[in-house]
Amino acid sequence: MSAQTAPLLEVDGLRVDFASRAGLVQAINEVSLVVHKGETLGLVGESGSGKSVSAQAVMGLISPPGAITGGDVRWCGTSLLGRKGERYARSVRGKNIAMIFQDPMTSLNPLMTVGDQIGEAMRYHLGFTHVQARRRAEELLGAVGLSAPARRLDQYPHELSGGMRQRVMIAMAISCEPELLIADEPTTALDVTIQAQILELLARLQKELGLAIILITHDLGVVAGICNRVAVMYAGRIVETGDVDTIFEDPGHPYTQGLLRSTPSLEGTEDTLMSIDGIPPRLIDPQPGCPFLPRCPIGVDACRQAPPAEAWKGSAVRCWKAGADAWSMGATRAQEAGL
Amino acid sequence: MGSFIVCRLWHGLLVVLGVSFTVFAVTRLFGDPVSLMLPLSASAEQRMAFAQEIGLDQPLFVQFIRFLGDLATFDFGESLWQRRPAIEVVFERLPLTLMLIGTGLGFAILLSIPLGMIAALRPGGFLDRFIVSAGLLGLSMPQFWVGLLLIVVFSVQLKLLPTSGMGTPLHLVLPALTLALTPLARLTMLVRSSMIDELNQHYVRTVRAKGLPFTRILRVHTLRNILISYMTLAGWELITTLAGYTVVVETVFAWPGLGLTAVQAIQRGDLFLMQAIVFVIALLIVLINIVLDIVFKMIDPRINLN
Ligand SMILES: Nc1ncnc2c1ncn2[C@@H]1O[C@H](COP(=O)(O)OP(=O)(O)OP(=O)(O)O)[C@@H](O)[C@H]1O
Ligand SMILES: [Mg+2]
């Protein structure tokens, strides 16, 4: 998109570890991302690949036993980490960067009215009075499509449905007019018709407010529909990033190729679905080299060395054999072996 | 809210009726008040006269109705020991007990919240382990023993505080401290564990994502959410102290409150005084429960009206 302008958010070689009984879990490692003004970045990858941890690290939500152990997060060029960054981070989080979560049923304080919860960030970050915050909260509730917003202000979360609560979460998130919204599977807990409404709402707000969005999702259809760029995560690393069109057309990494093939067709022209055999590697004491190697049909000896992120057709791909057609070759090889 | 309060009061009234009936049954049906209150040497005529005087010659049903009528007007009869209306004795001693309990439990409440929260901030950390160990120690020491220990250390050896009785504020220190110890330990443990739970709730993540200072998150969000379970335990501590532990502590420190008076009334076979004490304490407990219910309802909108 707007590669010329300075990025809003830069995540640079970020690493997060969790201390556990079994050892140090390297939840994410060498994660680098860039988000520009107004763009939508999709973050995809299978369960446990570190999507939520990456987002939470940006929001400063990693707490013991977890810790950020490497890399940097910068907002408009200034670091949010470390002693110096902490102060700055507190003024940025909730104001310039906001986040909504997967489970709207439990993400609101059950003992506080909807109006107070929406007004809270405005009172803290923008210095609004109670009355101002309340008036603005009412407008916001209208803007996210809740009926009778004035009445909602004094309701408690348990009086609202899941879809309504997610709208409240969104109203809360955009209350300070952030430039970036991180949405961690915002529709997973909702039923299908509501899912579509919430995604539409996000798309509309993005257009109206010029919001940049990081959308974490399992749904590649959604990514194709509303994202400009996409980052694919595997075992705590980003294995491929690039423009959505390029990657869907020409996936460079064997994992991305497999992921796309295992998704029910987006255009309705796909032949057969496949699944990637095997399971993701352990995040404790990971093997050096490419984490996908054990499941990769075209892995070679060179893959025992960690591959660098290489430019391939406009995407950045962490694979020694970026662009090779992994799965048909793999299938052919398997056939040759008589499987 | 109004109908909620009326409903709770109605329930309370039923409980008080139940207590009245139990007191009546235990003293009139299963015991013999006359031989309890008169000396063994009393003659048969004296016994008859006394029975008539206090209405024991009437049918049980009539006795019970009268009994209820007396209760309604707080007329419990004359204390044999003090030779004045039993309720007067109760109202004279009750404030002393309430002062003792108020000081002790107030201290426990004031201290348990910060202590529990400090422990919960870093579970497994140095402060947490220290607080938990101290709490377990506090829980495992019986109150009479703690009382004696405190007397030995602070009164006998250090000569800082009086051993017993009342008069100056200093007299209040040791008994209140003794009374506070177990509730303090239990309440601190509760704050600690429910705070650890609460901080892992999803809504806390939402509030943190708003960029609010951590102290505000604790004060405004999590504290309110643990308040119901905290007040349930605090109410229970108040009730059990009122109905029991204060007897031990008042006896150890010769604190002339209701607990000590109860012991003395039993020793002297002062049935009417005993009845007055039991009834007033039962009434207080019912009231405490009603107040707690109303406060719970104000804290948590999810609590149903019925
Ligand atoms: N609190 C925690 N304690 C220990 N390990 C954790 C914790 N949170 C996350 N992890 C580790 O981090 C890894 C990545 O988790 P994360 O929640 O980011 O996955 P995800 O990609 O969001 O998956 P999903 O699609 O299921 O939401 C997990 O495999 C887990 O081992
Ligand atoms: Mg997740």
Side-chain angles (χ1 to χ4, degrees):
Chain A
M1 250 193 109
S2 42
Q4 303 90 336
T5 57
L8 287 178
L9 178 76
E10 292 164 274
V11 177
D12 188 9
L14 196 63
R15 172 171 174 175
V16 174
D17 295 334
F18 287 89
S20 82
R21 239 160 253 241
L24 206 62
V25 179
Q26 300 184 12
I28 61 170
N29 205 345
E30 286 179 56
V31 166
S32 298
L33 289 170
V34 176
V35 183
H36 295 273
K37 192 167 169 24
E39 76 172 346
T40 305
L41 171 71
L43 195 53
V44 299
E46 63 199 326
S47 211
S49 56
K51 306 182 295 291
S52 298
V53 169
S54 307
Q56 285 166 10
V58 170
M59 286 309 282
L61 298 178
I62 303 291
S63 45
I68 296 177
T69 51
D72 200 3
V73 179
R74 283 186 296 273
W75 177 256
C76 297
T78 309
S79 174
L80 298 177
L81 302 183
R83 272 248 172 91
K84 260 193 249 155
E86 203 164 296
R87 230 205 158 127
Y88 177 57
R90 216 174 302 143
S91 69
V92 168
R93 288 173 185 140
K95 183 165 182 292
N96 304 97
I97 316 176
M99 183 163 177
I100 57 176
F101 300 92
Q102 175 173 348
D103 194 352
M105 300 313 265
T106 55
S107 291
L108 291 164
N109 182 345
L111 301 187
M112 202 189 246
T113 62
V114 164
D116 284 349
Q117 296 195 55
I118 296 177
E120 200 175 21
M122 292 186 280
R123 294 177 68 181
Y124 178 71
H125 289 294
L126 308 178
F128 277 26
T129 63
H130 182 75
V131 180
Q132 286 173 315
R134 211 177 141 81
R135 200 175 309 134
R136 181 86 182 105
E138 187 183 333
E139 286 170 19
L140 287 165
L141 284 176
V144 297
L146 274 185
S147 59
R151 195 164 52 85
R152 305 277 177 221
L153 288 177
D154 295 314
Q155 286 188 321
Y156 288 90
H158 73 275
E159 299 172 73
L160 306 178
S161 70
M164 287 155 93
R165 287 188 213 185
Q166 196 60 293
R167 285 174 196 269
V168 170
M169 287 292 294
I170 294 173
M172 199 147 82
I174 62 170
S175 65
C176 296
E177 299 181 343
E179 287 128 291
L180 171 64
L181 175 68
I182 303 177
D184 188 352
E185 304 194 36
T187 58
T188 307
L190 306 173
D191 64 52
V192 183
T193 47
I194 311 287
Q195 283 185 8
Q197 290 172 10
I198 295 287
L199 288 170
E200 246 164 58
L201 171 65
L202 286 178
R204 196 190 84 217
L205 290 173
Q206 167 161 50
K207 218 172 286 162
E208 287 173 10
L209 307 173
L211 203 59
I213 295 182
I214 298 179
L215 181 68
I216 299 176
T217 178
H218 287 278
D219 190 338
L220 293 177
V222 170
V223 173
I226 68 175
C227 294
N228 309 113
R229 287 194 306 120
V230 61
V232 182
M233 290 196 75
Y234 184 78
R237 287 160 196 267
I238 292 188
V239 294
E240 178 160 8
T241 67
D243 285 346
V244 166
D245 297 338
T246 317
I247 287 187
F248 276 57
E249 191 90 358
D250 253 330
H253 196 282
Y255 176 67
T256 318
Q257 294 172 6
L259 204 61
L260 286 169
R261 286 194 171 210
S262 59
T263 308
S265 138
L266 305 171
E267 276 93 33
T269 55
E270 209 66 39
D271 30 12
T272 46
L273 286 180
M274 57 154 278
S275 65
I276 306 174
D277 289 335
I279 51 162
R282 300 180 336 133
L283 297 172
I284 300 172
D285 293 333
Q287 298 289 315
C290 174
F292 193 59
L293 178 59
R295 297 167 81 182
C296 184
I298 54 170
V300 291
D301 276 347
C303 301
R304 291 185 209 289
Q305 304 268 306
E310 285 198 67
W312 188 80
K313 289 204 180 181
S315 311
V317 183
R318 270 184 193 269
C319 178
W320 291 111
K321 305 186 77 176
D325 186 351
W327 298 94
S328 50
M329 275 171 65
T332 328
R333 205 194 280 165
Q335 271 164 9
E336 280 166 4
L339 293 170
Chain B
M1 196 69 181
S3 65
F4 174 76
I5 295 175
V6 170
C7 175
R8 280 290 173 276
L9 285 173
W10 172 240
H11 282 177
L13 193 67
L14 287 182
V15 174
V16 171
L17 263 180
V19 171
S20 316
F21 182 74
T22 312
V23 170
F24 179 81
V26 168
T27 52
R28 312 292 148 103
L29 302 182
F30 307 126
D32 177 8
V34 176
S35 51
L36 187 68
M37 288 194 283
L38 290 190
L40 283 175
S41 56
S43 68
E45 292 84 60
Q46 281 171 321
R47 284 170 191 276
M48 282 290 279
F50 183 70
Q52 246 167 26
E53 187 194 322
I54 62 173
L56 284 183
D57 53 340
Q58 304 285 324
L60 271 181
F61 177 71
V62 176
Q63 280 188 42
F64 186 59
I65 296 295
R66 259 201 208 164
F67 180 72
L68 286 183
D70 288 347
L71 292 188
T73 56
F74 278 111
D75 178 1
F76 293 90
E78 188 133 303
S79 160
L80 287 179
W81 163 41
Q82 301 248 342
R83 292 285 161 212
R84 54 190 175 130
I87 194 67
E88 221 180 276
V89 182
V90 173
F91 281 155
E92 184 185 291
R93 302 297 179 88
L94 180 63
L96 296 178
T97 291
L98 292 184
M99 183 161 87
L100 178 62
I101 295 180
T103 312
L105 282 190
F107 177 72
I109 285 172
L110 279 185
L111 219 59
S112 63
I113 294 179
L115 281 180
M117 288 194 359
I118 288 170
L121 289 186
R122 281 201 164 274
F126 171 74
L127 279 174
D128 180 42
R129 277 183 300 182
F130 179 76
I131 290 171
V132 168
S133 314
L136 287 176
L137 194 67
L139 280 181
S140 52
M141 292 196 292
Q143 263 166 336
F144 70 90
W145 189 73
V146 172
L148 295 177
L149 198 70
L150 289 177
I151 291 178
V152 167
V153 175
F154 289 99
S155 307
V156 179
Q157 305 222 310
L158 298 177
K159 301 202 190 327
L160 286 175
L161 296 163
T163 48
S164 66
M166 59 166 289
T168 67
L170 283 185
H171 281 91
L172 191 58
V173 174
L174 288 186
L177 216 57
T178 309
L179 205 66
L181 192 68
T182 320
L184 173 61
R186 243 189 315 251
L187 286 168
T188 303
M189 299 298 214
L190 178 89
V191 172
R192 174 187 176 272
S193 64
S194 45
M195 209 45 147
I196 290 174
D197 275 358
E198 209 56 37
L199 285 171
N200 281 319
Q201 297 292 316
H202 285 168
Y203 76 83
V204 173
R205 200 178 52 188
T206 310
V207 194
R208 285 176 62 196
K210 285 184 192 172
L212 302 181
F214 194 57
T215 46
R216 184 186 154 88
I217 298 176
L218 290 180
R219 198 161 39 82
V220 178
H221 291 272
T222 50
L223 200 55
R224 198 182 157 95
N225 271 281
I226 70 164
L227 217 52
I228 296 256
S229 47
Y230 183 79
M231 289 185 61
T232 306
L233 181 60
W236 184 82
E237 296 290 357
L238 176 58
I239 286 169
T240 49
T241 308
L242 198 58
Y245 292 128
T246 178
V247 174
V248 178
V249 175
E250 287 182 12
T251 308
V252 169
F253 289 95
W255 181 266
L258 214 52
L260 186 58
T261 309
V263 173
Q264 290 164 336
I266 291 172
Q267 284 168 349
R268 290 173 168 76
D270 194 340
L271 179 66
F272 291 151
L273 182 55
M274 202 51 228
Q275 270 181 13
I277 293 173
V278 168
F279 188 78
V280 166
I281 286 184
L283 206 61
L284 277 177
I285 290 174
V286 168
L287 274 178
I288 291 167
N289 276 314
I290 292 175
V291 170
L292 280 180
D293 276 346
I294 293 173
V295 174
F296 287 171
K297 172 94 187 96
M298 290 194 314
I299 296 175
D300 193 339
R302 290 167 299 179
I303 291 177
N304 214 308
L305 274 170
N306 314 305

